Amino acid sequence: MKELVERIKNDGQVLGEGVLKVDSFVTHQVDAALMEKIGQRFAEVFSDRGITKVVTIEASGIAPAMYAAQALGVPMIFARKAKSLTMDEELLTSSVYSFTKQVTSQISISKKFLSNEDTVLIIDDFLANGQAAKGLVELCQQAGATVSGIGILIEKSFQDGRALLEEMGLTVVSLARIASLTNNKVEFLEEDA
């Protein structure tokens, strides 16, 4: 997606080998207009899949997932990284390792929001090692839901996340595919969508 690639080129910062900072428009401050375009693009790509729910993980996946859900006319669910006092019902849970935070989190979704009648589109901001998306897939599988595809804003193609998800038989669509992050420069592959 040209708008996202251009924004990464203009405002993204390479912090070191394998680390891209996009906090001015994705991960801290959010460019709502760009997120709306991203959500619409994912809705176009997956419009023929019978999606009934869009699922993401807090926090940076929420904005694009919300716009994708709006464009598809379905609810959006986000997996929580911490259980709140109000989450007293039965939960679907999975463990997820974060590449950027270097921690493992227990993520959860209430069982009442996903069922075996759902067809899910997973949306996430980054794909690196694939652990966040894999954890979301596991939550959906626990509910008996079908994962129809995974939409990624920024894929670090030099890491093994895509291979992991494709080996699971999943369709992965990335809007910006990064070949390398070296010498303070971002090199792109062609994007999927």
Side-chain angles (χ1 to χ4, degrees):
M1 183 177 170
K2 288 180 183 176
E3 296 96 333
L4 179 58
V5 169
E6 287 305 312
R7 193 65 185 269
I8 294 166
K9 287 178 182 177
N10 294 331
D11 298 327
Q13 295 175 296
V14 178
L15 296 182
E17 197 70 30
V19 181
L20 175 66
K21 186 175 183 179
V22 291
D23 66 341
S24 67
F25 60 100
V26 177
T27 61
H28 195 60
Q29 175 174 271
V30 177
D31 181 332
L34 178 61
M35 292 303 120
E36 184 172 23
K37 288 178 185 175
I38 286 168
Q40 290 170 345
R41 183 65 189 132
F42 284 134
E44 290 169 12
V45 171
F46 292 100
S47 64
D48 63 346
R49 300 283 182 108
I51 304 297
T52 61
K53 302 270 173 72
V54 174
V55 173
T56 192
I57 190 168
E58 66 178 347
S60 301
I62 292 174
M66 177 66 78
Y67 283 115
Q70 180 182 32
L72 289 165
V74 301
M76 184 274 288
I77 304 166
F78 65 91
R80 292 178 169 234
K81 293 179 184 172
K83 184 180 174 192
S84 76
L85 294 175
T86 62
M87 291 181 77
D88 58 354
E89 60 275 339
E90 290 186 57
L91 300 175
L92 307 165
T93 61
S94 182
S95 294
V96 172
Y97 177 75
S98 170
F99 173 78
T100 51
K101 294 179 183 149
Q102 304 283 303
V103 297
T104 299
S105 299
Q106 192 78 5
I107 62 168
S108 59
I109 292 176
S110 173
K111 285 184 178 181
K112 69 182 177 184
F113 296 125
L114 275 177
S115 77
N116 60 0
E117 296 178 10
D118 285 312
T119 301
V120 173
L121 170 60
I122 291 173
I123 302 286
D124 206 3
D125 59 344
F126 275 93
L127 175 59
N129 60 22
Q131 294 305 301
K134 181 178 179 244
L136 291 171
V137 169
E138 289 171 0
L139 293 180
C140 294
Q141 290 173 336
Q142 289 172 31
T146 301
V147 176
S148 186
I150 299 175
I152 301 294
L153 275 68
I154 303 167
E155 176 186 333
K156 296 177 183 177
S157 298
F158 53 89
Q159 291 184 273
D160 60 359
R162 176 179 283 268
L164 172 77
L165 299 173
E166 288 179 342
E167 285 171 11
M168 295 171 66
L170 298 164
T171 301
V172 180
V173 174
S174 300
L175 300 184
R177 296 185 70 193
I178 296 173
S180 68
L181 294 169
T182 55
N183 301 322
N184 284 335
K185 188 172 181 187
V186 181
E187 296 288 335
F188 291 91
L189 296 175
E190 283 192 35
E191 62 269 14
D192 287 345

